Amino acid sequence: MLRLGGRGLWLGLVAAAAAAMAARLTGWWGPRAGFRLFTPEELARYRGGPGDPGLYLALLGRIYDVSPGRRHYEPGAHYSGFAGRDASRAFVTGDYSEAGLVDDVSDLSFSEMLTLQHWLSFYEKNYECVGRLVGRFYGEDGLPTAELTQAEAMITKGLEANKQGLKEKQKFPPCNAEWSATRGSRFWCSQKSGGVSRDWIGVPRKLYKPGAKEPHCVCVRTTGPPSDQTPDNPTHRNRGDLDHPSLGEYAGCPPLAITCSFLL
């Protein structure tokens, strides 16, 4: 039987994590006393070469002293192109050319902005933030610009989309799958399929998602009320989520089989 309390606790933790991250983003980007403001020309002097005053890089306008990781960022090192500038876009695209080492992130997707957020977390954890870069993300007064506000909103929406995706994965965990030239394809469900531990196994079904070219295999709970039904509504057919409109059966596979095999 589905343990609603455990599921609710898990989703609550996800929501709390998203809220905590949103609060952290506000703290990262909001006004902070004692921060030095750099112009792009000033930051360009901090490339870690002989006679340079330091080794800094910027990410979304925040400047970090990466001297402890000198071997990664100093002249001639693999990530030397990041030093002395804000190359936020390249953290996502991997384009280390001069054209790619730029700070324009306005056309990145939610998931790509989440990648930037993960990098921001990395630098906050491992390096000291020493200032802010005047330009795209911070004004001459040191306050966030409209572009930084937009980037923050994209990251927040990405976190919400990620939370929704995790919620759906709990409801419809991916199937286990294998294929061989001699035996064909096999899909099956277990209590840990899709990396989701649970107290039910489920049966394979096709999940059709808007915009997706092909359905993918998920494991579907077969007993109890539908996941979307409120706990105070006792009326249900004891079929779990089998009647969800986005699901379809695999032709030739028994409806309640936990394994579906398709020979070549």
Side-chain angles (χ1 to χ4, degrees):
M1 183 173 63
L2 178 65
R3 292 180 296 190
L4 294 175
R7 181 185 179 87
L9 175 61
W10 185 89
L11 293 176
L13 291 173
V14 172
M21 180 56 66
R24 186 184 302 177
L25 292 176
T26 302
W28 284 343
W29 293 333
R32 189 181 297 183
F35 268 37
R36 176 182 170 184
L37 296 178
F38 290 74
T39 65
E41 294 75 20
E42 289 173 327
L43 181 59
R45 298 174 52 224
Y46 289 77
R47 296 186 183 275
D52 288 353
L55 181 55
Y56 296 172
L57 64 74
L59 178 58
L60 292 179
R62 293 179 59 82
I63 299 173
Y64 296 92
D65 182 351
V66 294
S67 299
R70 174 173 293 276
R71 64 189 180 91
H72 301 295
Y73 304 102
E74 65 185 353
H78 185 66
Y79 298 112
S80 60
F82 288 93
R85 70 174 94 195
D86 188 328
S88 295
R89 186 180 187 85
F91 280 94
V92 174
T93 65
D95 182 355
Y96 299 160
S97 69
E98 283 299 310
L101 289 165
V102 295
D103 60 357
D104 184 5
V105 298
S106 59
D107 62 343
L108 297 184
S109 66
F110 294 146
S111 61
E112 289 171 328
M113 291 302 294
L114 279 184
T115 298
L116 273 186
Q117 181 260 314
H118 292 321
W119 277 111
L120 194 63
S121 295
F122 170 80
Y123 284 102
E124 284 289 318
K125 179 180 178 180
N126 293 284
Y127 298 103
E128 179 185 1
C129 184
V130 295
R132 289 172 178 163
L133 180 63
V134 175
R136 185 180 297 274
F137 300 114
Y138 288 98
E140 294 182 354
D141 56 3
L143 294 177
T145 63
E147 288 205 46
L148 183 55
T149 300
Q150 179 184 351
E152 179 183 8
M154 287 286 289
I155 290 176
T156 300
K157 289 180 180 179
L159 289 168
E160 288 297 319
N162 192 49
K163 181 179 71 172
Q164 184 61 34
L166 290 173
K167 180 179 178 181
E168 181 179 283
K169 188 176 180 181
Q170 288 287 312
K171 179 178 178 180
F172 295 132
C175 303
N176 298 309
E178 66 177 6
W179 178 89
S180 74
T182 57
R183 294 191 300 270
S185 301
R186 182 168 78 100
F187 300 118
W188 75 99
C189 296
S190 67
Q191 288 186 320
K192 293 185 178 180
S193 55
V196 179
S197 296
R198 53 194 187 274
D199 57 4
W200 52 274
I201 296 176
V203 297
R205 287 291 188 272
K206 299 176 186 178
L207 176 63
Y208 296 87
K209 301 181 71 173
K213 294 182 179 179
E214 299 289 340
H216 66 277
C217 184
V218 297
C219 295
V220 179
R221 189 167 48 84
T222 61
T223 60
S227 298
D228 297 334
Q229 181 173 300
T230 57
D232 58 353
N233 184 351
T235 303
H236 61 82
R237 299 172 58 196
N238 195 33
R239 286 176 50 82
D241 292 309
L242 288 174
D243 298 320
H244 193 282
S246 298
L247 298 173
E249 296 183 7
Y250 281 97
C253 185
L256 296 180
I258 64 174
T259 298
C260 295
S261 298
F262 305 96
L263 302 177
L264 295 177

